[in-house]
Amino acid sequence: MAARPIAIIGGAGAEGFGLALRWALAGETVIIGSRDAARAQQAADKIKQRVANANISGMENSAAAAASDLIVLTIPFEVHAATLKQLKPAIRPGSILVDTTVPLAASVGGRATRTLGVWQGSAAQQAAELLPKEVSVAAAFHHVGSDLLMTDGPVDCDVIVCSDDPATSKTVRQFAAKIPGVRALDGGKLENARILEQITALLIGFSIREKGHAGIRITGLPEAAYNIP
Ligand SMILES: NC(=O)c1ccc[n+]([C@@H]2O[C@H](COP(=O)([O-])OP(=O)(O)OC[C@H]3O[C@@H](n4cnc5c(N)ncnc54)[C@H](OP(=O)(O)O)[C@@H]3O)[C@@H](O)[C@H]2O)c1
């Protein structure tokens, strides 16, 4: 698995950069995507300064998507549909697309503590509708904030992965579990992404009121639920 590159669309931004940093620290091969190849390379260089021997590069978004079959989408909801339409020709059949997008009302000038209604049910389901069925979509990482990802310490948060394809879910859980502190759980079908996305708005409310970095832990399940088969 170490040789499978992870392409992060919007990876020069807060969430994508944090994930890129964590996967670079875990020894994974990472491609940072940006609308601007130079910005992507700058972000990759920044990670190289923090992580000795990091296997990381920067590319324009479509080139990054074409260079990997594990694509992580970290862009704001307001550009979600347009970006996916633009990337669609570059995404290879059989690829996994991991959607981290939260359709926050802030995207349209509203509050970050509220979500928008998405016709398909969630941003991740919108992604699945926009992409060919040969691309398997998972929803994940909605509750792991960029502030925590950018630190060096373990992340006190579980990652819940939703996908209609169990093999996709397993792969994404394996990559999530490479982040120290993260337990990666199977959150069931992609339709549950709606719930994941809404919980983020609640966590943002906690973080604002209590001046912290709220995360989430799922408790009370048998050990097997926290272990990836
Ligand atoms: N930040 C968090 O803690 C966090 C936590 C969980 C989930 N998320 C989700 O992750 C996604 C990214 O959040 P973020 O905080 O990382 O956002 P961000 O830093 O504001 O943006 C991420 C990247 O998106 C690209 N982008 C911005 N505006 C664009 C536009 N008009 N057209 C095309 N690309 C554009 C930019 O990349 P280039 O300019 O390099 O192309 C930018 O670096 C969101 O959907 C958010 O809900 C964030």
Side-chain angles (χ1 to χ4, degrees):
M1 261 173 50
R4 186 179 196 175
I6 312 165
I8 306 181
I9 306 304
E15 185 72 2
F17 186 88
L19 288 170
L21 173 66
R22 293 300 184 140
W23 282 320
L25 281 165
E28 295 300 320
T29 303
V30 180
I31 303 168
I32 289 192
S34 166
R35 287 168 293 178
D36 177 353
R39 188 158 51 240
Q41 193 53 54
Q42 279 165 15
D45 290 344
K46 249 197 236 175
I47 289 180
K48 279 185 183 162
Q49 285 164 15
R50 277 180 73 172
V51 184
N53 304 321
N55 202 343
I56 188 159
S57 55
M59 295 181 191
E60 182 278 323
N61 279 332
S62 289
S68 171
D69 66 355
L70 181 58
I71 301 161
V72 181
L73 195 62
T74 59
I75 52 162
F77 180 69
E78 60 266 33
V79 296
H80 184 260
T83 303
L84 283 167
K85 282 179 192 165
Q86 189 206 331
L87 291 179
K88 189 174 164 180
I91 301 178
R92 304 196 301 249
S95 296
I96 291 174
L97 181 118
V98 185
D99 202 344
T100 71
T101 308
V102 181
L104 294 176
S107 299
V108 292
R111 295 184 184 178
T113 50
R114 292 178 181 164
T115 54
L116 298 169
V118 182
W119 186 261
Q120 293 82 351
S122 63
Q125 287 167 286
Q126 174 170 272
E129 186 178 280
L130 288 167
L131 293 173
K133 62 177 184 315
E134 293 77 17
V135 178
S136 188
V137 175
F141 302 108
H142 306 83
H143 312 135
V144 188
S146 56
D147 289 336
L148 290 178
L149 289 171
M150 290 199 214
T151 67
D152 292 329
V155 171
D156 186 14
C157 187
D158 289 341
V159 167
I160 304 171
V161 180
C162 294
S163 172
D164 291 337
D165 176 39
T168 295
S169 189
K170 182 176 169 182
T171 300
V172 178
R173 288 173 68 198
Q174 284 168 336
F175 277 92
K178 289 175 187 290
I179 302 171
V182 163
R183 297 178 310 179
L185 288 101
D186 178 2
K189 289 197 176 287
L190 195 66
E191 65 182 25
N192 287 342
R194 178 174 51 91
I195 304 168
L196 299 188
E197 293 172 10
Q198 292 191 7
I199 289 172
T200 304
L202 189 74
L203 295 178
I204 291 172
F206 275 121
S207 297
I208 292 171
R209 284 193 306 280
E210 310 295 345
K211 299 182 177 35
H213 303 292
I216 192 169
R217 286 288 192 201
I218 305 298
T219 62
L221 300 177
E223 200 51 36
Y226 305 101
N227 298 327
I228 306 159

